[in-house]
Amino acid sequence: MAEISTDIAKAKALLENNQLIGFPTETVYGLAGNALNEEAVVEIFKVKNRPYFDPLIIHSHSLEKIRTWVEEIPPQALALAEAFWPGPLTLLLEKKDIVPDLTTSGSPKVAVRIPNHALSLQLLASLDFPLAAPSANPFGYISPTTAQHVNDQLGDKIPFILDGGPSQIGIESTIIGFEEDQTIVYRLGGKALEEIERVAGKVQLMPHSSSNPQAPGMLKSHYAPKAKLTLLNDWSEMPAINKQSLGVLGFDQYVPNIPKENQRLLAPHGTLEEAARNLFSALRELDKLPISGIVTCLLPAQGLGRAINDRLKRAAAE
Ligand code: TXA
Ligand code: MG
Protein backbone atom coordinates (compact mmCIF):
# COMPACT_ATOMS: atom_id res chain seq x y z
CA MET A 1 0.00 0.00 0.00
CA ALA A 2 1.12 3.58 -0.59
CA GLU A 3 2.13 5.97 2.17
CA ILE A 4 -0.66 8.53 2.74
CA SER A 5 0.72 11.79 4.12
CA THR A 6 0.73 15.59 3.98
CA ASP A 7 4.54 15.74 3.65
CA ILE A 8 5.11 18.07 0.68
CA ALA A 9 8.91 17.75 0.87
CA LYS A 10 8.61 14.00 0.40
CA ALA A 11 6.20 14.46 -2.53
CA LYS A 12 8.63 16.90 -4.14
CA ALA A 13 11.60 14.54 -3.72
CA LEU A 14 9.73 11.64 -5.34
CA LEU A 15 8.53 13.77 -8.27
CA GLU A 16 12.03 15.15 -8.86
CA ASN A 17 13.16 11.54 -9.04
CA ASN A 18 10.55 10.95 -11.80
CA GLN A 19 8.32 8.82 -9.58
CA LEU A 20 4.53 9.14 -9.40
CA ILE A 21 2.33 10.25 -6.52
CA GLY A 22 -1.37 10.57 -5.76
CA PHE A 23 -2.13 14.28 -5.97
CA PRO A 24 -5.14 16.03 -4.40
CA THR A 25 -7.10 18.67 -6.30
CA GLU A 26 -10.47 20.34 -5.75
CA THR A 27 -12.00 18.30 -8.61
CA VAL A 28 -10.68 14.74 -8.19
CA TYR A 29 -7.36 13.17 -7.15
CA GLY A 30 -4.74 12.93 -9.89
CA LEU A 31 -1.95 10.46 -10.63
CA ALA A 32 0.91 12.93 -10.97
CA GLY A 33 4.37 12.90 -12.48
CA ASN A 34 6.80 15.31 -14.16
CA ALA A 35 4.97 16.34 -17.36
CA LEU A 36 8.24 17.21 -19.12
CA ASN A 37 9.90 13.86 -18.44
CA GLU A 38 9.01 11.02 -20.82
CA GLU A 39 9.95 8.31 -18.35
CA ALA A 40 7.49 9.66 -15.75
CA VAL A 41 4.80 10.19 -18.39
CA VAL A 42 5.09 6.62 -19.73
CA GLU A 43 4.73 5.38 -16.16
CA ILE A 44 1.45 7.33 -15.78
CA PHE A 45 -0.06 5.59 -18.83
CA LYS A 46 1.14 2.21 -17.55
CA VAL A 47 -0.09 2.57 -13.96
CA LYS A 48 -3.53 3.74 -15.14
CA ASN A 49 -3.64 1.18 -17.94
CA ARG A 50 -4.55 4.13 -20.15
CA PRO A 51 -4.31 4.09 -23.94
CA TYR A 52 -1.54 6.30 -25.29
CA PHE A 53 -4.01 8.17 -27.52
CA ASP A 54 -5.69 9.75 -24.48
CA PRO A 55 -3.67 12.90 -23.60
CA LEU A 56 -2.84 14.22 -20.11
CA ILE A 57 -3.67 17.54 -18.42
CA ILE A 58 -0.70 19.46 -17.03
CA HIS A 59 -0.99 21.36 -13.76
CA SER A 60 0.80 24.48 -12.61
CA HIS A 61 0.45 27.11 -9.88
CA SER A 62 0.89 30.19 -12.08
CA LEU A 63 0.00 31.72 -15.42
CA GLU A 64 3.55 33.04 -15.69
CA LYS A 65 4.95 29.49 -15.55
CA ILE A 66 2.32 28.26 -18.01
CA ARG A 67 3.57 30.83 -20.53
CA THR A 68 6.90 28.98 -20.61
CA TRP A 69 5.13 25.81 -21.83
CA VAL A 70 2.59 27.22 -24.32
CA GLU A 71 3.11 29.31 -27.47
CA GLU A 72 0.39 31.85 -26.80
CA ILE A 73 -2.69 32.48 -24.73
CA PRO A 74 -5.43 33.90 -26.97
CA PRO A 75 -7.58 36.71 -25.48
CA GLN A 76 -10.65 34.47 -24.94
CA ALA A 77 -8.47 31.98 -23.06
CA LEU A 78 -6.88 34.71 -20.97
CA ALA A 79 -10.29 36.08 -19.98
CA LEU A 80 -11.38 32.62 -18.79
CA ALA A 81 -8.08 32.00 -16.99
CA GLU A 82 -8.32 35.32 -15.18
CA ALA A 83 -11.94 34.69 -14.20
CA PHE A 84 -11.65 31.06 -13.07
CA TRP A 85 -8.04 30.11 -12.18
CA PRO A 86 -7.21 28.62 -9.82
CA GLY A 87 -10.26 26.43 -10.41
CA PRO A 88 -12.00 23.53 -12.17
CA LEU A 89 -11.27 24.73 -15.72
CA THR A 90 -8.81 23.26 -18.24
CA LEU A 91 -7.72 25.17 -21.36
CA LEU A 92 -6.34 23.65 -24.58
CA LEU A 93 -3.44 25.80 -25.81
CA GLU A 94 -0.73 25.51 -28.49
CA LYS A 95 2.22 23.74 -26.82
CA LYS A 96 5.91 24.58 -26.97
CA ASP A 97 8.40 21.86 -27.96
CA ILE A 98 9.53 21.44 -24.36
CA VAL A 99 6.23 19.60 -23.65
CA PRO A 100 6.75 16.01 -24.90
CA ASP A 101 4.42 14.72 -27.66
CA LEU A 102 3.84 11.75 -25.39
CA THR A 103 2.11 14.01 -22.82
CA THR A 104 -0.33 15.37 -25.44
CA SER A 105 -0.69 12.09 -27.38
CA GLY A 106 0.84 13.76 -30.40
CA SER A 107 -1.49 16.78 -30.38
CA PRO A 108 0.05 20.23 -30.98
CA LYS A 109 -2.16 21.41 -28.11
CA VAL A 110 -1.63 20.84 -24.42
CA ALA A 111 -4.35 20.88 -21.75
CA VAL A 112 -3.43 23.13 -18.80
CA ARG A 113 -5.01 23.89 -15.45
CA ILE A 114 -4.26 25.70 -12.19
CA PRO A 115 -6.04 23.68 -9.49
CA ASN A 116 -7.67 25.41 -6.54
CA HIS A 117 -6.19 23.41 -3.69
CA ALA A 118 -3.82 24.97 -1.13
CA LEU A 119 -1.57 21.94 -0.52
CA SER A 120 -1.25 21.17 -4.24
CA LEU A 121 -0.49 24.79 -5.11
CA GLN A 122 2.23 24.78 -2.47
CA LEU A 123 3.72 21.61 -3.99
CA LEU A 124 3.47 22.95 -7.57
CA ALA A 125 5.17 26.21 -6.55
CA SER A 126 8.10 24.22 -5.17
CA LEU A 127 8.70 22.42 -8.50
CA ASP A 128 10.25 23.80 -11.66
CA PHE A 129 8.19 21.52 -13.92
CA PRO A 130 4.41 21.08 -14.35
CA LEU A 131 2.66 17.91 -13.18
CA ALA A 132 0.85 15.71 -15.68
CA ALA A 133 -2.09 14.29 -13.80
CA PRO A 134 -4.99 12.26 -15.12
CA SER A 135 -7.58 11.18 -12.59
CA ALA A 136 -6.00 8.53 -10.33
CA ASN A 137 -8.26 5.60 -11.24
CA PRO A 138 -7.71 2.61 -13.49
CA PHE A 139 -8.84 3.64 -17.01
CA GLY A 140 -12.64 3.56 -17.31
CA TYR A 141 -13.47 3.26 -13.58
CA ILE A 142 -14.92 5.91 -11.22
CA SER A 143 -12.58 8.84 -10.44
CA PRO A 144 -11.20 9.11 -6.86
CA THR A 145 -12.15 11.97 -4.52
CA THR A 146 -10.18 10.88 -1.42
CA ALA A 147 -6.65 9.61 -0.75
CA GLN A 148 -8.19 6.32 0.37
CA HIS A 149 -9.94 5.89 -3.02
CA VAL A 150 -6.55 6.25 -4.71
CA ASN A 151 -4.97 3.77 -2.30
CA ASP A 152 -7.79 1.25 -2.84
CA GLN A 153 -6.98 0.93 -6.53
CA LEU A 154 -3.44 2.16 -7.19
CA GLY A 155 -1.87 1.72 -3.74
CA ASP A 156 0.27 -1.22 -4.83
CA LYS A 157 1.60 0.68 -7.87
CA ILE A 158 2.70 4.04 -6.42
CA PRO A 159 4.80 4.84 -3.35
CA PHE A 160 2.98 7.90 -2.00
CA ILE A 161 -0.35 9.77 -1.89
CA LEU A 162 -0.43 13.41 -0.80
CA ASP A 163 -3.47 13.70 1.47
CA GLY A 164 -5.42 16.87 0.78
CA GLY A 165 -8.74 15.72 2.27
CA PRO A 166 -11.89 15.03 0.24
CA SER A 167 -12.08 16.89 -3.12
CA GLN A 168 -14.43 19.83 -2.68
CA ILE A 169 -15.86 20.00 -6.23
CA GLY A 170 -15.98 16.23 -6.79
CA ILE A 171 -16.15 16.03 -10.61
CA GLU A 172 -13.41 16.70 -13.16
CA SER A 173 -12.63 20.09 -14.67
CA THR A 174 -14.52 21.64 -17.59
CA ILE A 175 -12.31 21.38 -20.72
CA ILE A 176 -12.34 24.28 -23.17
CA GLY A 177 -10.57 24.85 -26.49
CA PHE A 178 -10.55 27.57 -29.13
CA GLU A 179 -10.98 27.33 -32.91
CA GLU A 180 -10.73 30.64 -34.74
CA ASP A 181 -13.34 32.77 -32.96
CA GLN A 182 -15.21 29.86 -31.40
CA THR A 183 -14.96 28.79 -27.77
CA ILE A 184 -15.63 25.06 -27.56
CA VAL A 185 -16.51 22.98 -24.50
CA TYR A 186 -15.07 19.48 -24.92
CA ARG A 187 -15.94 18.17 -21.47
CA LEU A 188 -18.62 19.42 -19.11
CA GLY A 189 -17.21 19.65 -15.61
CA GLY A 190 -16.80 21.45 -12.32
CA LYS A 191 -17.20 24.95 -13.76
CA ALA A 192 -20.84 25.36 -14.86
CA LEU A 193 -21.63 26.31 -18.46
CA GLU A 194 -23.66 29.33 -17.33
CA GLU A 195 -20.58 30.75 -15.58
CA ILE A 196 -18.34 30.07 -18.58
CA GLU A 197 -20.79 31.81 -20.91
CA ARG A 198 -20.96 34.85 -18.66
CA VAL A 199 -17.26 35.38 -19.49
CA ALA A 200 -16.84 33.80 -22.94
CA GLY A 201 -20.24 34.50 -24.50
CA LYS A 202 -22.05 31.69 -26.33
CA VAL A 203 -19.94 28.51 -26.49
CA GLN A 204 -20.17 25.48 -28.72
CA LEU A 205 -20.75 22.13 -27.00
CA MET A 206 -18.83 19.14 -28.36
CA PRO A 207 -18.67 16.81 -25.42
CA HIS A 208 -20.17 13.57 -26.66
CA SER A 209 -18.52 12.61 -29.93
CA SER A 210 -16.14 9.83 -28.96
CA SER A 211 -14.64 10.01 -32.46
CA ASN A 212 -13.67 13.62 -31.84
CA PRO A 213 -9.87 13.82 -32.07
CA GLN A 214 -9.79 16.89 -29.77
CA ALA A 215 -10.96 14.89 -26.80
CA PRO A 216 -10.12 11.25 -27.40
CA GLY A 217 -10.65 10.50 -23.73
CA MET A 218 -14.33 11.27 -23.91
CA LEU A 219 -15.23 7.67 -24.59
CA LYS A 220 -18.84 6.70 -24.25
CA SER A 221 -18.35 4.17 -21.47
CA HIS A 222 -16.39 5.72 -18.61
CA TYR A 223 -16.66 6.40 -14.87
CA ALA A 224 -18.33 2.99 -14.69
CA PRO A 225 -19.06 1.05 -11.49
CA LYS A 226 -18.96 -2.76 -11.70
CA ALA A 227 -22.67 -2.99 -10.90
CA LYS A 228 -24.96 -2.15 -13.80
CA LEU A 229 -26.28 1.41 -13.53
CA THR A 230 -29.81 2.16 -14.78
CA LEU A 231 -30.90 5.78 -15.38
CA LEU A 232 -34.45 7.04 -14.87
CA ASN A 233 -35.87 10.33 -16.10
CA ASP A 234 -38.23 10.36 -13.17
CA TRP A 235 -38.51 8.32 -9.94
CA SER A 236 -42.00 7.21 -11.03
CA GLU A 237 -40.17 4.97 -13.56
CA MET A 238 -38.70 2.96 -10.67
CA PRO A 239 -38.78 -0.77 -11.57
CA ALA A 240 -41.22 -2.80 -9.47
CA ILE A 241 -39.06 -5.96 -9.29
CA ASN A 242 -35.94 -6.95 -7.28
CA LYS A 243 -36.49 -4.14 -4.80
CA GLN A 244 -34.78 -5.93 -1.93
CA SER A 245 -31.51 -6.31 -3.82
CA LEU A 246 -31.44 -3.01 -5.70
CA GLY A 247 -28.98 -0.20 -4.91
CA VAL A 248 -30.35 3.34 -5.18
CA LEU A 249 -28.45 6.57 -5.74
CA GLY A 250 -31.00 9.15 -4.57
CA PHE A 251 -30.92 12.94 -4.63
CA ASP A 252 -32.20 14.41 -1.34
CA GLN A 253 -34.73 11.78 -0.25
CA TYR A 254 -34.72 8.02 0.21
CA VAL A 255 -36.89 6.01 -2.15
CA PRO A 256 -39.74 4.23 -0.28
CA ASN A 257 -39.84 0.40 -0.06
CA ILE A 258 -36.11 -0.07 -0.70
CA PRO A 259 -33.86 -1.01 2.23
CA LYS A 260 -32.09 2.16 3.40
CA GLU A 261 -28.75 0.35 3.71
CA ASN A 262 -28.83 -0.10 -0.07
CA GLN A 263 -29.37 3.61 -0.71
CA ARG A 264 -27.02 6.62 -0.82
CA LEU A 265 -28.14 10.26 -1.07
CA LEU A 266 -26.20 12.64 -3.31
CA ALA A 267 -27.43 15.83 -1.71
CA PRO A 268 -29.08 15.74 1.74
CA HIS A 269 -29.39 19.56 1.52
CA GLY A 270 -30.65 19.48 -2.04
CA THR A 271 -27.94 21.40 -3.94
CA LEU A 272 -26.25 20.38 -7.18
CA GLU A 273 -22.82 21.37 -5.78
CA GLU A 274 -23.31 18.90 -2.96
CA ALA A 275 -24.43 16.23 -5.44
CA ALA A 276 -21.24 16.73 -7.50
CA ARG A 277 -19.09 16.51 -4.36
CA ASN A 278 -20.68 13.21 -3.30
CA LEU A 279 -21.24 11.56 -6.69
CA PHE A 280 -18.12 9.41 -7.06
CA SER A 281 -17.81 8.32 -3.44
CA ALA A 282 -21.50 7.36 -3.35
CA LEU A 283 -21.06 5.24 -6.50
CA ARG A 284 -17.98 3.59 -4.98
CA GLU A 285 -19.88 2.79 -1.77
CA LEU A 286 -22.82 1.30 -3.65
CA ASP A 287 -20.39 -0.70 -5.77
CA LYS A 288 -19.15 -2.48 -2.61
CA LEU A 289 -22.64 -3.71 -1.61
CA PRO A 290 -24.06 -7.13 -2.53
CA ILE A 291 -26.69 -5.65 -4.87
CA SER A 292 -28.05 -6.70 -8.27
CA GLY A 293 -27.67 -3.25 -9.84
CA ILE A 294 -27.90 0.49 -9.16
CA VAL A 295 -30.76 2.78 -10.11
CA THR A 296 -30.60 6.56 -10.22
CA CYS A 297 -32.47 9.51 -11.71
CA LEU A 298 -31.05 12.21 -14.01
CA LEU A 299 -30.83 15.70 -12.49
CA PRO A 300 -32.11 19.01 -13.88
CA ALA A 301 -29.91 20.08 -16.85
CA GLN A 302 -28.63 23.28 -15.25
CA GLY A 303 -25.51 24.32 -13.33
CA LEU A 304 -23.46 21.29 -12.30
CA GLY A 305 -26.47 19.08 -13.09
CA ARG A 306 -25.33 18.92 -16.74
CA ALA A 307 -21.87 17.61 -15.84
CA ILE A 308 -23.31 15.16 -13.30
CA ASN A 309 -25.75 13.81 -15.92
CA ASP A 310 -22.85 13.44 -18.36
CA ARG A 311 -20.97 11.27 -15.80
CA LEU A 312 -24.10 9.23 -15.04
CA LYS A 313 -24.74 8.56 -18.74
CA ARG A 314 -21.16 7.41 -19.30
CA ALA A 315 -21.28 5.28 -16.15
CA ALA A 316 -24.47 3.64 -17.46
CA ALA A 317 -23.17 3.05 -21.01
CA GLU A 318 -22.33 -0.53 -21.97
O1 TXA B 1 -10.21 17.84 -12.99
C1 TXA B 1 -9.45 17.30 -13.78
O2 TXA B 1 -9.33 17.68 -14.95
C2 TXA B 1 -8.60 16.12 -13.25
C3 TXA B 1 -7.66 16.65 -12.17
C4 TXA B 1 -6.68 15.63 -11.68
O3 TXA B 1 -7.01 17.80 -12.62
N1 TXA B 1 -7.92 15.48 -14.32
C5 TXA B 1 -8.55 14.73 -15.25
O4 TXA B 1 -7.71 14.12 -16.18
O5 TXA B 1 -9.75 14.58 -15.29
P1 TXA B 1 -8.16 12.93 -17.11
O6 TXA B 1 -6.89 12.43 -17.69
O7 TXA B 1 -8.95 11.94 -16.37
O8 TXA B 1 -8.94 13.59 -18.28
C6 TXA B 1 -8.23 14.37 -19.19
C7 TXA B 1 -8.96 14.53 -20.49
C8 TXA B 1 -8.55 13.53 -21.56
O9 TXA B 1 -9.28 12.36 -21.46
C9 TXA B 1 -8.84 14.29 -22.83
O10 TXA B 1 -10.19 14.11 -23.17
C10 TXA B 1 -8.62 15.73 -22.44
O11 TXA B 1 -8.55 15.78 -21.05
N2 TXA B 1 -7.33 16.23 -22.96
C11 TXA B 1 -6.14 16.30 -22.33
N3 TXA B 1 -5.19 16.80 -23.13
C12 TXA B 1 -5.79 17.07 -24.30
C13 TXA B 1 -5.34 17.60 -25.53
N4 TXA B 1 -4.08 17.93 -25.73
N5 TXA B 1 -6.25 17.72 -26.52
C14 TXA B 1 -7.53 17.37 -26.32
N6 TXA B 1 -8.02 16.85 -25.19
C15 TXA B 1 -7.17 16.71 -24.18
MG1 MG C 1 -10.29 10.49 -15.92
Side-chain angles (χ1 to χ4, degrees), residues 55-119:
L56 307 178
I57 297 175
I58 74 171
H59 300 70
S60 174
H61 68 290
S62 89
L63 197 55
E64 221 174 281
K65 272 284 187 187
I66 288 171
R67 287 185 193 281
T68 65
W69 303 312
V70 305
E71 286 293 349
E72 59 156 351
I73 303 181
Q76 316 97 289
L78 191 61
L80 287 166
E82 282 174 346
F84 300 127
W85 277 351
L89 172 73
T90 294
L91 299 176
L92 292 176
L93 302 170
E94 210 70 41
K95 81 176 185 70
K96 284 190 174 148
D97 286 344
I98 184 174
V99 179
D101 290 334
L102 200 61
T103 306
T104 65
S105 301
S107 169
K109 292 193 177 161
V110 60
V112 293
R113 176 165 110 80
I114 302 182
N116 186 15
H117 189 289
L119 197 63

Side-chain angles (χ1 to χ4, degrees), residues 1-5 7 10 14 151 155 158-163:
M1 289 287 104
E3 176 185 352
I4 299 180
S5 139
D7 185 349
K10 178 137 192 204
L14 288 164
N151 203 28
I158 55 175
F160 186 87
I161 302 163
L162 187 63
D163 189 357

Side-chain angles (χ1 to χ4, degrees), residues 48 50 134-135 137 143 172 187 222-223:
K48 256 195 81 109
R50 179 181 178 112
S135 51
N137 49 288
S143 297
E172 301 82 353
R187 178 174 74 183
H222 220 79
Y223 312 104

Side-chain angles (χ1 to χ4, degrees), residues 192-203:
L193 207 55
E194 292 89 338
E195 284 194 72
I196 305 269
E197 290 198 325
R198 222 170 284 143
V199 172
K202 195 79 194 138
V203 302

